Amino acid sequence: GRALTRALVERGDEVWVLTRDPQEAGLPQGVKAAGWDGRTPAGWGPLVAKADAIIHLAGANIGARPWSNARKQLIRSSRVETGQAIVEAIRQSEQRPKVLVQPVGVGYYGTHANEPLDETAPAGSDFLAGVVVDWENATAPVEGLGVRRVILRTGVVLSPKGGVLAPFVFQNRLFAG
């Protein structure tokens, strides 16, 4: 989300990032931080009334560690609970944002060979597909509150400045890519 926040600030938008540790967030200049427990609108809910849009990028890194049962639970809950908290904050706000943007990933579709897929394709049946379905369902109630919801099922973002590219480069340097 760092590139996105920088781009929004550069075009003149006021950007707030919700984070567990605002002092240690290391945000780009011009970005404001609000503390968040990741489960409730406590502490940041009033910001919703000032927002034109909410971009829901919260969630534990799926590539950071092996997927133990505890890690899988964290991956799911970090997305679903944050989605539910966003819905609750919007529900409580007298003025609502126009749109909720939720990038969720192509994991929704599960594993496929080479067949083309579009947004009408059904969800897969693996763990990650189930997480995405639950995550999307967690924010669906905003539509009933008059907020447009945009779901982005994108592929993995590769950047030399972070994300999953660095581990791939490291693996390839070890001839294990």
Side-chain angles (χ1 to χ4, degrees):
R2 292 187 197 287
L4 175 61
T5 56
R6 265 193 297 283
L8 291 171
V9 167
E10 286 173 7
R11 79 174 201 185
D13 292 320
E14 181 178 9
V15 178
W16 283 85
V17 171
L18 305 181
T19 177
R20 284 178 173 75
D21 191 352
Q23 284 72 33
E24 296 296 322
L27 299 171
Q29 188 169 359
V31 176
K32 299 170 185 152
W36 187 23
D37 65 8
R39 294 183 305 276
T40 68
W44 64 272
L47 293 173
V48 173
K50 301 177 192 177
D52 292 324
I54 295 176
I55 304 171
H56 179 5
L57 296 172
N61 185 337
I62 64 170
R65 298 184 190 134
W67 287 2
S68 65
N69 287 336
R71 185 72 182 167
K72 285 181 174 181
Q73 184 177 357
L74 178 64
I75 289 169
R76 182 181 307 276
S77 66
S78 67
R79 287 161 174 76
V80 173
E81 290 177 6
T82 55
Q84 292 167 337
I86 289 169
V87 170
E88 187 56 31
I90 292 171
R91 183 177 285 120
Q92 292 174 8
S93 183
E94 289 185 24
Q95 185 170 337
R96 296 181 172 142
K98 294 176 183 77
V99 63
L100 168 63
V101 179
Q102 185 172 340
V104 296
V106 295
Y108 172 88
Y109 301 107
T111 305
H112 289 272
N114 293 324
E115 68 268 29
L117 301 169
D118 64 20
E119 59 275 356
T120 64
S125 59
D126 61 10
F127 166 73
L128 199 51
V131 168
V132 173
V133 168
D134 292 347
W135 190 10
E136 289 182 11
N137 289 339
T139 60
V142 300
E143 294 172 0
L145 299 171
V147 176
R148 183 169 67 106
R149 183 174 66 124
V150 176
I151 301 291
L152 300 174
R153 295 180 184 148
T154 61
V156 175
V157 177
L158 299 175
S159 168
K161 297 179 181 175
V164 299
L165 186 58
F168 289 158
V169 169
F170 179 71
Q171 289 172 355
N172 281 297
R173 286 188 179 148
L174 297 175
F175 301 100

